[in-house]
Amino acid sequence: MTRPMPGVTIDNFLLELRSEEIPARMQKGARAELEKLFRREMDAAGVTVAGLTVWSTPRRLALIARGLPLSTQPVSEEAKGPPEGAPDQAIDGFCRKNGVSRDQLELRDVKGRNTWFAVIETPGRPMTQVLAEAIPAIIRDFSWPKSMRWGEASISTESVRWVRPLSGIVALLGDDVVACEVHGVTSGSVTLGHRFHHTGVSQGEVGTGSSARDATHKMTDITIGNADDYAVKLRAGHVIVDHEERQDMIRAGAAKVAADAGLVLVEDEGLVIENAGLTEWPVPLLGRFEEDFLSVPPEVIQLTARVNQKYFVCESADGKLANAFICTANITPSDGGAAIVDGNRKVLAARLSDARFFWDVDRKTSLEVHAKKLERITFHEKLGTVADKVERVARLARWLVEEGVVPNADPDLTEQAARLCKADLVTEMVGEFPELQGLMGGYYARAEGLDDAVADAIRDHYKPVGQGDDVPTAPVTVAVSLADKLDTLVGFFQIDEKPTGSKDPYALRRAALAILALVLDNRLRVEMFALITAAAHPGGSANAGGEIAGFLLDRLKVQQRDAGIRHDIIDAVAALRQSTDNVLLIDRVHALQAFIASDDGKNLLAGYKRAANILKKEDWHGIEGEIAHTGEEDPLAGVDDPNLKGVIDAKMAMRHKAERSYTPEPAEKALIDALAAAEPKAAQAIAEEDFAAAMSALASLRAPIDTFFDEVTVNDADPAKRSSRLDLLAQFRVAVHNVADFSRIEG
């Protein structure tokens, strides 16, 4: 690949692709696609781009590439061919492949043998020629989520496709037009300004209902001189080409018109970006709607304004929703926006009237009656209807409360909330706005006078929906939410509908993370196997329990990794298989990670690994490994036989007594004493769930094990000493393993 050489003349390149409206949701992807394809073309030509800027408006994509050379550098390449004397077919094939003739080949010595070489000289090319070929390639290869063909050529599947009919191309390298043609559109230096800033209609008449708007539709031509004056000239034509600048204008403008009215803008970044993608000259305007509509839940009003009309909403000083909206006009109107605001108010009023109708109609039927209609909705063909799911969730939620898994919750209220939690799925409001499921159920429950705990549980039982979402803490809500997600996770695993790779159609990974968040945030003390068993569906796979437990452990690692916990630390604790109580596991993990980060922890880990390596090399397994010394052909024979247990224990005691018949060396005796003190302390601390104290007990072994390795010969010539010391290291390993499996810790 060539690079511009020092002293080579460089210039800036402007490309504008103008079309009919580009959907706002597609503009971010289009900017990325344009940059990717342009860089691809430049890389293929061996051209380095000093800087690249990509902008979008509803009617154009624009790219400015800075520091392009006026021509590419000549390139000399060599290709090694067959040796001298090779068959003519091989030599001719080599020539055809490299585009040279035989008389252009050179013979060179390669390790004492003459070999043919082709020297291919590629001259530099004018940058205008490179760009003239690149622009059609970019347009041809451009990927849109949806695209179309148009005009007479559209009858052919080979015709160009674009998101909307392509109407103009501006291509300038410095001050010169890069000449090219795509689908009948010829490049040039002329673009168009704002759609409604044109001859025959003044700015003031736009948006006021002036009949002159329909009298003529000839937009003003704007001639671009070069990349540097592009944005300036478009601004003069009432087009802000920089999408980020338009976003800033909307944020600041919407906040200002709200403040001028004594209100506070309800911030909505997604709406800012969308409005910027809908306008080329954004002007936020505030309007009012009838106060009567405030009887509808505020979330309904905000969603109606946002989804249907792309309007912002405002709050009054007391934090309540105000009867105000902010729309974004596409031009500055001469009447201050009165006509535009009035037209938007009428449209919003119609939408809010529909919402109020749904609100009134839904409240005429109790949630209990609504819930009966869930029998008509299939949850999954193998898992029954939504009504079947609700029945399972109700039973499981009550079990969670009655078994004390979720403390301080009333079982009757919990069951009632579970039986009604999906009822709003069949209401008119949720049919119109699926995003409001749960939320509307809470409103309807409160409207019919149900207990606040029930209403809150219905409202919040879908939470947490994703990372960063609030985790419920109200006992009734926790029980219903946990039951709902457990039923989903266990049910789909039992019918073998598990996530595979990147595919997770039933969002089971999200359900697992939500289950873990509910358990950990609320410190629910329960074995996960007990939860899985309680949530099991009759007739489902009996082997799913282990898979689900493993799946939850994997999700726990993901969740804790995001919280800064090392996966190997979780493995070290989980490997003990002492409990599937995740609260206990995570408490232990936190204590272990803090310990391993300390000097005592690092040194003890090093001592452990040294001991483990010695034991592995010697194939020493401690007392268990010495069962063979009982004389049995099968080393495990009789271990569980109560009649032989006493005999085996006696033999082991005699053996170890014999091994310790010598006087231990001081460092050896210090380790023996340290283990005798540390093991019971660690065991007691673990039993009391004081994991910091358990780590402290392990820390007391650091100095003795270090000194032991420094001063004691493990593989002593005396078999009794060697055996005793290996057994001492095995005892040290067991003492450490009672707290965590240090073999799984990295470092």
Side-chain angles (χ1 to χ4, degrees):
M1 183 180 296
T2 59
R3 293 289 183 267
M5 301 297 290
V8 172
T9 304
I10 60 174
D11 221 327
N12 299 331
F13 170 65
L14 166 68
L15 174 65
E16 181 196 74
L17 303 175
R18 196 174 67 257
S19 67
E20 297 303 312
E21 268 71 13
I22 305 170
R25 67 183 183 278
M26 296 186 187
Q27 291 174 28
K28 180 179 179 181
R31 295 193 299 269
E33 180 76 355
L34 180 56
E35 177 174 351
K36 181 188 78 173
L37 292 176
F38 183 79
R39 289 190 183 279
R40 180 196 73 181
E41 295 298 313
M42 294 302 99
D43 287 346
V47 175
T48 298
V49 181
L52 200 60
T53 301
V54 183
W55 290 321
S56 65
T57 81
R59 299 178 57 239
R60 68 199 81 219
L61 290 173
L63 175 146
I64 294 177
R66 303 192 181 280
L68 295 187
L70 296 187
S71 64
T72 62
Q73 294 294 312
V75 177
S76 178
E77 296 178 296
E78 294 183 351
K80 179 184 174 184
E84 185 180 27
D88 288 344
Q89 299 94 319
I91 298 174
D92 290 341
F94 173 68
C95 289
R96 285 194 301 272
K97 178 181 177 182
N98 291 279
V100 296
S101 60
R102 279 203 177 205
D103 59 0
Q104 291 176 286
L105 298 181
E106 297 179 5
L107 272 178
R108 298 182 187 175
D109 180 79
V110 178
K111 296 182 179 179
R113 186 175 187 182
N114 284 339
T115 303
W116 292 108
F117 276 79
V119 179
I120 305 150
E121 300 287 350
T122 303
R125 301 170 64 205
M127 196 65 210
T128 51
Q129 183 182 343
V130 172
L131 292 169
E133 294 173 3
I135 294 168
I138 289 170
I139 294 173
R140 182 185 63 246
D141 297 344
F142 210 97
S143 176
W144 293 97
K146 289 185 178 181
S147 58
M148 61 181 290
R149 292 188 290 267
W150 64 94
E152 293 182 5
S154 64
I155 60 174
S156 168
T157 57
E158 299 302 315
S159 65
V160 72
R161 301 178 67 95
W162 202 247
V163 63
R164 297 288 186 270
L166 189 67
S167 58
I169 301 173
V170 173
L172 295 170
L173 180 62
D175 301 333
D176 299 324
V177 171
V178 176
C180 65
E181 184 269 335
V182 180
H183 194 61
V185 181
T186 304
S187 63
S189 60
V190 177
T191 187
L192 297 176
H194 195 283
R195 181 182 292 278
F196 302 128
H197 180 69
H198 53 81
T199 58
V201 179
S202 68
Q203 288 185 49
E205 291 172 321
V206 174
T208 64
S210 167
S211 60
R213 175 173 176 177
D214 302 318
T216 178
H217 200 68
K218 181 182 178 183
M219 288 165 276
T220 306
D221 288 349
I222 299 175
T223 301
I224 306 299
N226 52 52
D228 293 332
D229 69 7
Y230 174 67
V232 175
K233 287 191 173 181
L234 276 175
R235 186 184 300 272
H238 287 79
V239 174
I240 305 296
V241 71
D242 184 345
H243 52 277
E244 291 186 355
E245 183 181 350
R246 296 198 308 278
Q247 291 171 19
D248 291 341
M249 291 170 67
I250 292 169
R251 284 189 203 93
K256 183 178 185 305
V257 296
D260 290 346
L263 302 172
V264 177
L265 173 72
V266 175
E267 295 181 358
D268 189 329
E269 187 60 19
L271 204 51
V272 167
I273 295 171
E274 187 165 14
N275 273 284
L278 293 169
T279 57
E280 291 193 321
W281 189 265
V283 179
L285 302 171
L286 184 137
R288 295 278 186 173
F289 57 83
E290 291 81 355
E291 287 194 19
D292 290 349
F293 287 124
L294 293 177
S295 62
V296 178
E299 294 88 351
V300 174
I301 296 174
Q302 182 173 6
L303 200 59
T304 299
R306 184 190 200 281
V307 173
N308 296 126
Q309 303 306 129
K310 317 306 178 191
Y311 299 160
F312 297 90
V313 295
C314 300
E315 292 177 347
S316 54
D318 59 4
K320 294 182 180 179
L321 191 70
N323 64 321
F325 67 93
I326 297 174
C327 60
T328 306
N330 197 24
I331 197 71
T332 304
S334 61
D335 65 352
I340 294 176
V341 167
D342 188 55
N344 282 285
R345 180 191 60 76
K346 291 175 182 177
V347 176
L348 180 59
R351 294 288 189 178
L352 292 178
S353 292
D354 290 343
R356 183 165 58 187
F357 172 77
F358 297 149
W359 169 245
D360 292 339
V361 167
D362 288 340
R363 285 181 297 150
K364 292 177 181 178
T365 304
S366 69
L367 284 176
E368 187 175 357
V369 173
H370 279 305
K372 293 178 181 178
K373 302 173 190 174
L374 297 174
E375 297 172 356
R376 309 173 196 166
I377 306 174
T378 299
F379 176 64
H380 187 279
E381 59 180 2
K382 294 182 181 180
L383 297 174
T385 66
V386 176
D388 295 329
K389 176 179 175 60
V390 165
E391 181 65 28
R392 294 191 300 266
V393 170
R395 288 199 301 266
L396 181 56
R398 189 177 188 99
W399 178 87
L400 290 170
V401 174
E402 291 181 339
E403 292 296 316
V405 175
V406 181
N408 306 318
D410 183 289
D412 293 331
L413 292 179
T414 300
E415 183 175 347
Q416 182 185 25
R419 292 190 180 280
L420 300 178
C421 68
K422 307 293 184 185
D424 67 354
L425 293 178
V426 296
T427 61
E428 297 287 344
M429 189 72 82
V430 173
E432 179 72 11
F433 297 115
E435 305 95 321
L436 296 179
Q437 58 187 278
L439 180 71
M440 291 313 303
Y443 275 113
Y444 294 140
R446 223 174 297 277
E448 66 177 270
L450 299 183
D451 192 284
D452 283 347
V454 172
D456 290 345
I458 295 171
R459 179 192 66 200
D460 295 335
H461 81 281
Y462 288 105
K463 295 181 177 181
V465 176
Q467 190 172 12
D469 193 19
D470 293 337
V471 178
T473 57
V476 172
T477 306
V478 170
V480 177
S481 177
L482 183 57
D484 183 35
K485 293 164 181 62
L486 277 168
D487 176 78
T488 297
L489 180 67
V490 174
F492 280 111
F493 262 80
Q494 285 191 293
I495 62 171
D496 202 28
E497 290 284 358
K498 296 164 286 191
T500 55
S502 62
K503 296 181 180 178
D504 186 9
Y506 302 109
L508 300 186
R509 293 187 180 97
R510 188 172 68 188
L513 288 172
I515 289 168
L516 294 168
L518 287 162
V519 168
L520 295 175
D521 283 29
N522 290 284
R523 297 192 63 80
L524 304 183
R525 304 305 305 275
V526 60
E527 298 287 336
M528 295 308 292
F529 274 117
L531 286 183
I532 295 167
T533 301
H537 296 204
S541 169
N543 299 322
E547 283 187 285
I548 298 168
F551 181 72
L552 284 167
L553 181 59
D554 288 341
R555 292 300 93 196
L556 181 66
K557 291 177 185 177
V558 171
Q559 183 193 61
Q560 292 298 309
R561 180 192 63 202
D562 293 341
I565 300 298
R566 289 164 42 179
H567 69 89
D568 58 323
I569 299 292
I570 296 179
D571 285 340
V573 174
L576 300 182
R577 301 183 183 278
Q578 294 175 347
S579 172
T580 57
D581 179 337
N582 279 338
V583 172
L584 199 67
L585 184 147
I586 292 302
D587 285 351
R588 202 162 178 166
V589 162
H590 287 165
L592 179 59
Q593 178 151 312
F595 177 61
I596 290 299
S598 69
D599 287 341
D600 282 343
K602 292 173 185 174
N603 289 322
L604 184 69
L605 177 62
Y608 166 86
K609 290 186 178 295
R610 186 174 179 182
N613 287 336
I614 292 172
L615 293 169
K616 181 179 180 180
K617 184 178 179 181
E618 297 298 323
D619 194 27
W620 192 264
H621 302 283
I623 293 175
E624 295 83 357
E626 297 182 26
I627 293 175
H629 293 295
T630 61
E632 292 284 351
E633 182 178 348
D634 177 1
L636 295 180
V639 168
D640 296 322
D641 187 337
N643 296 320
L644 292 178
K645 184 178 186 304
V647 176
I648 292 173
D649 287 347
K651 284 180 175 288
M652 292 298 99
M654 289 175 62
R655 177 170 178 78
H656 286 283
K657 183 177 180 182
E659 288 174 352
R660 291 279 169 81
S661 59
Y662 67 93
T663 301
E665 295 181 23
E668 186 177 2
K669 180 65 167 60
L671 181 57
I672 293 170
D673 293 343
L675 282 168
E679 281 189 287
K681 284 183 181 179
Q684 183 178 354
I686 289 171
E688 295 173 354
E689 299 182 9
D690 186 350
F691 301 116
M695 301 304 158
S696 178
L698 285 187
S700 68
L701 298 175
R702 170 198 166 178
I705 192 68
D706 288 347
T707 306
F708 177 83
F709 281 128
D710 289 342
E711 300 180 6
V712 177
T713 302
V714 176
N715 286 323
D716 195 278
D718 183 339
K721 290 183 178 180
R722 173 182 174 277
S723 177
S724 179
R725 288 166 183 171
L726 286 171
D727 203 39
L728 184 60
L729 291 183
Q731 186 183 351
F732 166 71
R733 181 175 61 182
V734 168
V736 173
H737 273 204
N738 285 337
V739 177
D741 184 349
F742 272 45
S743 67
R744 295 176 182 266
I745 301 176
E746 299 171 359

